[in-house]
Amino acid sequence: ASIVEDMEGNAILSSGDLENIYLHGPNNEMYLPKNFGIGFSYTVNSNDWTMQLGAKAVTASNTAKSITIYVKSSNSSRYSEVETIDLSSATDMYYDLSALLENYSTVGVTYDIIIISDSEFSNNEFVSLTTVKYSGIKLS
């Protein structure tokens, strides 16, 4: 487990402040080994919304890296697997999640999303999540 601190050294104990975790995490990145993930909620505020995820493979070999996206509406009890995204670059690339989440885009509805790393354990390799770019939604 990691403890993320703000610039004043105060521990950020709540996952509710996703932006703080991204801004103050190691190298402004979140490193996820195999089967680890991050979850957050988003509320759609506009029919014209977008969400992009910055991600890269932290690799010492050519072992495949990927992330799997799961989502559900907040009043549902089951997550649905939306997509597995292959990460073939050690350079930060942006992936358009709004295109993948078109079935989860009703204005006024809050959705829970989980992003799980499917990377291999060999050579301490990880998936790195870097930035979430968005408009027309609220993250929480």
Side-chain angles (χ1 to χ4, degrees), residues 7 10-11 15 32 60 67-68 77 81 92 102 115 138 140:
M7 298 304 285
N10 302 312
S15 62
L32 301 175
I67 54 175
T68 302
S77 61
E81 182 176 331
D92 193 19
E102 67 179 274
I115 302 166
K138 178 185 176 200
S140 55

Side-chain angles (χ1 to χ4, degrees), residues 20-31:
N20 253 343
I21 292 171
Y22 272 112
L23 291 176
H24 301 294
N27 295 324
N28 297 330
E29 300 177 41
M30 185 164 290
Y31 297 98

Side-chain angles (χ1 to χ4, degrees), residues 12-56:
I12 300 171
L13 301 176
S14 168
S15 62
D17 196 349
L18 182 64
E19 185 175 26
N20 253 343
I21 292 171
Y22 272 112
L23 291 176
H24 301 294
N27 295 324
N28 297 330
E29 300 177 41
M30 185 164 290
Y31 297 98
L32 301 175
K34 184 177 180 79
N35 294 327
F36 279 68
I38 183 170
F40 57 93
S41 297
Y42 68 95
T43 304
V44 179
N45 296 328
S46 165
N47 284 322
D48 184 25
W49 69 280
T50 185
M51 181 173 22
Q52 296 178 353
L53 176 68
K56 63 184 179 179

Side-chain angles (χ1 to χ4, degrees), residues 2-137:
S2 296
I3 296 176
V4 179
E5 297 178 343
D6 63 16
M7 298 304 285
E8 288 76 39
N10 302 312
I12 300 171
L13 301 176
S14 168
S15 62
D17 196 349
L18 182 64
E19 185 175 26
N20 253 343
I21 292 171
Y22 272 112
L23 291 176
H24 301 294
N27 295 324
N28 297 330
E29 300 177 41
M30 185 164 290
Y31 297 98
L32 301 175
K34 184 177 180 79
N35 294 327
F36 279 68
I38 183 170
F40 57 93
S41 297
Y42 68 95
T43 304
V44 179
N45 296 328
S46 165
N47 284 322
D48 184 25
W49 69 280
T50 185
M51 181 173 22
Q52 296 178 353
L53 176 68
K56 63 184 179 179
V58 180
T59 182
S61 70
N62 292 324
T63 307
K65 309 286 177 296
S66 62
I67 54 175
T68 302
I69 312 294
Y70 299 88
V71 69
K72 72 176 186 73
S73 64
S74 291
N75 59 6
S76 176
S77 61
R78 297 193 58 149
Y79 281 90
S80 297
E81 182 176 331
V82 175
E83 184 82 20
T84 296
I85 300 170
D86 293 325
L87 306 177
S88 58
S89 176
T91 301
D92 193 19
M93 305 291 284
Y94 285 91
Y95 301 90
D96 185 6
L97 298 185
S98 48
L100 301 175
L101 299 171
E102 67 179 274
N103 293 330
Y104 303 93
S105 61
T106 304
V107 173
V109 175
T110 299
Y111 299 94
D112 299 326
I113 187 169
I114 297 176
I115 302 166
I116 303 288
S117 168
D118 300 323
S119 64
E120 295 297 324
F121 274 124
S122 59
N123 298 318
N124 291 320
E125 297 179 352
F126 299 91
V127 166
S128 172
L129 304 181
T130 58
T131 307
V132 177
K133 294 181 179 181
Y134 61 94
S135 68
I137 62 171

